Amino acid sequence: MMELHRDEEAVSAAIATVLLFGGVISIISLMMLTMIPVIEELEGSVERHDMSAQMTQFNHQTTTLSEQGMPGDVVTQEFVPVDGSLAWDMMRSGMWYSSTWQEDHSFRIRDVLDFDDRLKVKHPESTTSTACFSDLRLGPDRPYHYNAPEWADGVIFTTKPGLSFPLGPIDVDLLRNDLVEESVELFVDDVQEWNLDDADWSIESTQELVVYWMRDGEGTTEVRATDANANGLGRSWALPLPAGNVQLNIVSQEVMMVHGNGAFGDFTEVALPSDLVGVRTSWSKAMTISAAQVVHITTTTDAQLMVTIAEEGTTTWKSLTGSIHGTSFVPPTEEGFLLLSNPNGEPATVTWRGSGVTIDELSSYSVAWPPADLDGASMLQSDQPISVVWSGASSPVGVYQMGAVDTGMESGLQVHSNASNSFNLELKSNGDQSILNVSTLSANETVLNQSESLIVSVDNQEIIVQTKEGHGVYAFADHGAIGLHDAIHEGARRCVSIDVTASGWVDLTMPWASMGGRSIADLQKAWKTGDYPASLHIELYGLIVEEPYTPIGSAWVMQISRFVYEFESSVTGMEVAMSGGAVLTNHPEYKPTVLVAPADRGGPGPRFAATIPALHPTSDSAVGGGVLAMEVTLTKRTSLASDVAYEVRRGWAEPYGGAIAASSTQGLEASEDWTIYPGRLDLLTDYVGWVPDPGFGTVESVWHTAGEPIQFSLQISSLDAHVSEVIA
């Protein structure tokens, strides 16, 4: 019988070996646990640098395309991800520029890219009177909308000139009760005429148009210049005119040369100013046009232009600051009458060369115009804001736009008239809904929805229209028989009254419904229909000397899509993004970093110019982690501003706003003045360029020129990006 003996030493050795192995495994596990984030961070660093190189190269191509390309030009590139995926971000992107047109004045905006209907403005130097908002309609699948007024029985239109024209045709649809009745394709200088009946007509276009609503083919209108400055004056007009007799009348404050061309031929004429005090330059020309065509008119100085088709008509004449209610006017010199209306609660004294009149509060006065035996255009001055309406007859015949009492502009909350004649007042909401109190109606309140019109019959009586809730209105006085009106698209010139003097931020409500908290699908639908602005132009007016509606500043808010490469490192949510000419990343650890700063041009001297590449994806673009090919097409380039400015600011949406503001001011390190006196912009004389805004935690920077006026030029290029998957 065998006896079993336990080898204690062997057992102990085996147990020690197992424990040692377990300890080694534990140590390795702990080492791996601490090394994995390092490995992941190294992998993330590889992904960041790889995609940064690809996006930097592509950003250079798109920036060059936006600055130097022509419509139809294309750039392409393949994106090869490492382990992440490519996508578009339309909710957390965008930027803005702002400028001021008055010396020693500033204009700042805040909370403009959060998709609600609220924002803040800041202008502490004087009383801020009015702000006007216009939808820029940037991006693909965001057409321009034009709704026909009730009085119109016809329309004539053409393409609006710009820096560059689309390569292909402009698609225009005529809609009746929101159903397409007819479609046309327009090329440069094409003219289209349509007859309308009393149905609900509207026009949709892929590009901005010059649109004239007409009745009976006759009428008069002041025409907006295609290159209008902040004052509404300009030097270039594209006039879609029907066959027949046309009268052109231009007034200016300086000597000017007038050039015209069209299918009829061309002409060049010179208009000389008068030697009399208070008398300016005038030019007139009668033309007979054999067929409908576009007539291009250019002048060598800023001017205003009135067009009369046939022999009569009526039109509102704007002040020298671009407002309907103002204190300084140079009325047209075509023979007729001026209806001067005082919307104030106190008398207004109006003077012109050789005469004058006092208009009682809330009253109107008609005077024959121009003054007799006067060679030139007489200035018209008032000590209170008034409106001026030119008519070819003592009793107005035709259609003209009435100014809002609270804003002094084309739209607002209150409209007043005390004219001694009969007419139909047409009211249209400048937002999604207006609840009105009309003094001549028996009902206390009237609901006016977007795209609807309210017709009020006025018979030799005072009428007051007050918006009780919602957004303001546009108002047109219809005196029957004929009519002509130079239209704006549905998202343009929506004005709100401010009327405060404040050193801090002032809250404003935009005339659009809020989209805050809504999904991207809802937002894209609202951009397409115009229910929410697809980028924004803000014009601020304030009190300068005795003119309450002087242009103070302008801002252009661009909602620009970001092309994003999303990846993971030791943490999730890392990205490399391209937007508005900048390449950005939050790697590592969510630290916003500018890899490539947005391009701009400065100097020589106090000059600044920038072209913004606005990149937006097409609706059928692909996303994901495979190899993707992007094709970017330049569709149009638009001039936003070209004038003398006194302050230029640039802001950027977070999360990269502060980083871009800081990176753009790195040139200050070479300034001796800034080294000795940091933060003292008033002592900074050896540097021209971006400087940080004095505010705390700002996402804005200021273009510094040591107080000199800035030759400011701003353009935007619309780039349509189509992304497709590359199949091996």
Side-chain angles (χ1 to χ4, degrees):
M1 184 174 180
M2 292 183 62
E3 293 186 3
L4 298 177
H5 298 280
R6 180 173 180 176
D7 191 339
E8 297 292 340
E9 293 183 359
V11 171
S12 298
I15 293 174
T17 302
V18 171
L19 292 175
L20 178 62
F21 182 74
V24 170
I25 294 298
S26 298
I27 293 172
I28 293 174
S29 299
L30 290 173
M31 292 177 63
M32 290 297 295
L33 187 64
T34 57
M35 290 179 62
I36 285 175
V38 177
I39 295 171
E40 290 177 338
E41 188 58 44
L42 290 174
E43 181 185 355
S45 181
V46 171
E47 295 206 52
R48 166 191 164 169
H49 286 87
D50 179 78
M51 189 53 65
S52 295
Q54 296 184 56
M55 285 202 175
T56 298
Q57 177 186 358
F58 190 59
N59 181 71
H60 175 72
Q61 294 184 68
T62 56
T63 300
T64 303
L65 175 67
S66 67
E67 292 180 344
Q68 303 176 15
M70 294 297 292
D73 288 354
V74 176
V75 297
T76 60
Q77 179 169 320
E78 284 190 3
F79 288 93
V80 183
V82 178
D83 196 31
S85 62
L86 293 159
W88 290 95
D89 184 354
M90 303 180 192
M91 303 291 286
R92 299 184 304 139
S93 61
M95 48 103 56
W96 67 88
Y97 278 91
S98 64
S99 64
T100 57
W101 314 118
Q102 303 296 325
E103 191 171 5
D104 298 326
H105 283 252
S106 63
F107 174 36
R108 295 187 62 188
I109 57 176
R110 183 195 283 178
D111 300 339
V112 292
L113 286 167
D114 51 7
F115 306 112
D116 61 13
D117 60 346
R118 304 286 295 177
L119 77 157
K120 299 177 184 291
V121 300
K122 190 175 185 180
H123 165 241
E125 289 78 15
S126 70
T127 299
T128 306
S129 307
T130 299
C132 291
F133 302 89
S134 296
D135 188 348
L136 290 176
R137 309 302 294 152
L138 294 181
D141 303 321
R142 296 166 193 176
Y144 290 84
H145 304 271
Y146 302 85
N147 291 333
E150 292 289 331
W151 54 265
D153 63 9
V155 63
I156 185 170
F157 58 88
T158 186
T159 57
K160 182 178 180 179
L163 291 177
S164 56
F165 294 94
L167 179 65
I170 294 174
D171 297 322
V172 183
D173 293 330
L174 176 65
L175 291 83
R176 181 176 183 175
N177 296 318
D178 296 328
L179 299 176
V180 177
E181 290 284 320
E182 188 172 349
S183 298
V184 296
E185 294 182 342
L186 291 185
F187 289 89
V188 177
D189 286 351
D190 283 350
V191 174
Q192 180 69 37
E193 288 185 87
W194 278 325
N195 292 322
L196 312 175
D197 55 23
D198 58 356
D200 182 14
W201 294 98
S202 62
I203 293 174
E204 282 190 3
S205 172
T206 55
Q207 301 289 336
E208 192 170 1
L209 305 173
V210 179
V211 177
Y212 294 170
W213 301 116
M214 299 187 298
R215 179 163 59 195
D216 202 30
E218 299 182 34
T220 299
T221 187
E222 181 184 351
V223 180
R224 294 175 179 81
T226 57
D227 62 344
N229 58 21
N231 289 324
L233 309 178
R235 304 188 180 196
S236 177
W237 296 263
L239 313 176
L241 299 176
N245 297 323
V246 175
Q247 180 77 26
L248 305 179
N249 187 227
I250 299 178
V251 293
S252 175
Q253 299 204 68
E254 304 174 39
V255 60
M256 63 179 169
M257 181 179 295
V258 182
H259 178 74
N261 67 81
F264 66 89
D266 62 358
F267 62 82
T268 301
E269 300 179 6
V270 176
L272 300 176
S274 172
D275 295 330
L276 300 176
V277 176
V279 181
R280 301 296 187 257
T281 308
S282 174
W283 174 88
S284 296
K285 189 176 187 65
M287 304 173 61
T288 300
I289 297 178
S290 59
Q293 60 187 272
V294 176
V295 176
H296 291 276
I297 302 293
T298 58
T299 60
T300 53
T301 60
D302 292 339
Q304 292 173 270
L305 168 62
M306 184 174 76
V307 172
T308 300
I309 298 176
E311 298 180 356
E312 289 189 334
T314 302
T315 186
T316 299
W317 194 255
K318 292 186 177 180
S319 73
L320 292 175
T321 60
S323 59
I324 292 182
H325 292 160
T327 61
S328 300
F329 300 81
V330 181
T333 56
E334 191 171 336
E335 289 192 7
F337 294 83
L338 294 185
L339 179 65
L340 311 177
S341 298
N342 176 18
N344 305 287
E346 53 188 291
T349 300
V350 186
T351 60
W352 58 89
R353 177 75 186 186
S355 188
V357 66
T358 297
I359 307 174
D360 293 336
E361 62 273 14
L362 304 177
S363 299
S364 300
Y365 187 87
S366 182
V367 58
W369 198 264
D373 302 323
L374 188 65
D375 183 17
S378 176
M379 285 279 295
L380 190 149
Q381 300 280 354
S382 175
D383 63 347
Q384 299 286 337
I386 63 169
S387 66
V388 174
V389 174
W390 182 92
S391 179
S394 56
S395 296
V397 178
V399 178
Y400 64 90
Q401 187 166 16
M402 300 175 64
V405 175
D406 58 316
T407 65
M409 302 293 170
E410 295 90 335
S411 61
L413 298 177
Q414 184 179 354
V415 178
H416 175 271
S417 175
N418 193 3
S420 58
N421 45 55
S422 299
F423 61 93
N424 286 330
L425 178 65
E426 180 174 353
L427 301 171
K428 297 179 64 178
S429 175
N430 74 346
D432 59 335
Q433 188 182 79
S434 303
I435 301 178
L436 309 177
N437 188 335
V438 182
S439 61
T440 59
L441 298 181
S442 57
N444 291 331
E445 293 182 347
T446 301
V447 178
L448 184 60
N449 293 316
Q450 186 176 9
S451 302
E452 294 180 349
S453 291
L454 173 65
I455 307 298
V456 181
S457 179
V458 181
D459 187 12
N460 297 292
Q461 63 192 124
E462 181 182 35
I463 181 170
I464 300 174
V465 179
Q466 182 70 49
T467 304
K468 306 299 292 184
E469 293 182 35
H471 303 135
V473 294
Y474 301 97
F476 296 88
D478 173 15
H479 290 266
I482 61 175
L484 181 67
H485 179 65
D486 180 12
I488 55 178
H489 68 88
E490 290 302 305
R493 301 292 293 175
R494 299 185 177 188
C495 303
V496 298
S497 175
I498 303 175
D499 195 26
V500 298
T501 304
S503 59
W505 293 97
V506 178
D507 291 325
L508 292 183
T509 300
M510 295 193 304
W512 283 276
S514 173
M515 295 298 294
R518 304 288 290 273
S519 68
I520 184 60
D522 291 339
L523 193 58
Q524 287 178 315
K525 181 180 178 181
W527 282 334
K528 183 175 182 179
T529 60
D531 291 338
Y532 196 80
S535 299
L536 195 63
H537 179 206
I538 306 173
E539 298 168 276
L540 191 75
Y541 299 86
L543 177 65
I544 300 294
V545 190
E546 297 180 356
E547 174 54 68
Y549 303 116
T550 302
I552 297 294
S554 299
W556 298 268
V557 183
M558 276 71 70
Q559 185 64 45
I560 301 172
S561 301
R562 286 196 303 152
F563 188 54
V564 180
Y565 176 65
E566 301 171 333
F567 62 96
E568 294 183 3
S569 62
S570 57
V571 293
T572 60
M574 297 293 96
E575 66 179 24
V576 177
M578 186 178 72
S579 175
V583 179
L584 315 156
T585 186
N586 63 353
H587 178 271
E589 305 298 336
Y590 300 105
K591 180 182 178 181
T593 304
V594 179
L595 302 176
V596 178
D600 52 52
R601 304 277 185 266
R607 298 174 183 270
F608 177 82
T611 300
I612 305 165
L615 193 68
H616 293 282
T618 58
S619 58
D620 57 346
S621 287
V623 295
V627 178
L628 299 179
M630 183 185 291
E631 180 180 274
V632 175
T633 305
L634 174 63
T635 57
K636 65 177 178 180
R637 185 187 299 114
T638 305
S639 175
L640 301 178
S642 182
D643 212 334
V644 176
Y646 293 90
E647 180 186 77
V648 173
R649 290 174 175 267
R650 181 178 68 190
W652 211 276
E654 290 290 17
Y656 298 105
I660 292 177
S663 68
S664 61
T665 62
Q666 292 177 355
L668 277 171
E669 298 172 357
S671 167
E672 292 184 3
D673 290 342
W674 190 261
T675 303
I676 299 172
Y677 307 107
R680 291 292 303 274
L681 299 183
D682 56 327
L683 299 178
L684 182 59
T685 61
D686 62 348
Y687 171 82
V688 173
W690 292 112
V691 296
D693 183 88
F696 176 75
T698 181
V699 295
E700 285 187 317
S701 49
V702 184
W703 186 259
H704 176 77
T705 58
E708 293 188 60
I710 304 167
Q711 297 292 329
F712 176 54
S713 176
L714 183 64
Q715 302 174 12
I716 188 165
S717 293
S718 296
L719 306 173
D720 290 353
H722 177 71
V723 185
S724 57
E725 184 179 0
V726 177
I727 301 176

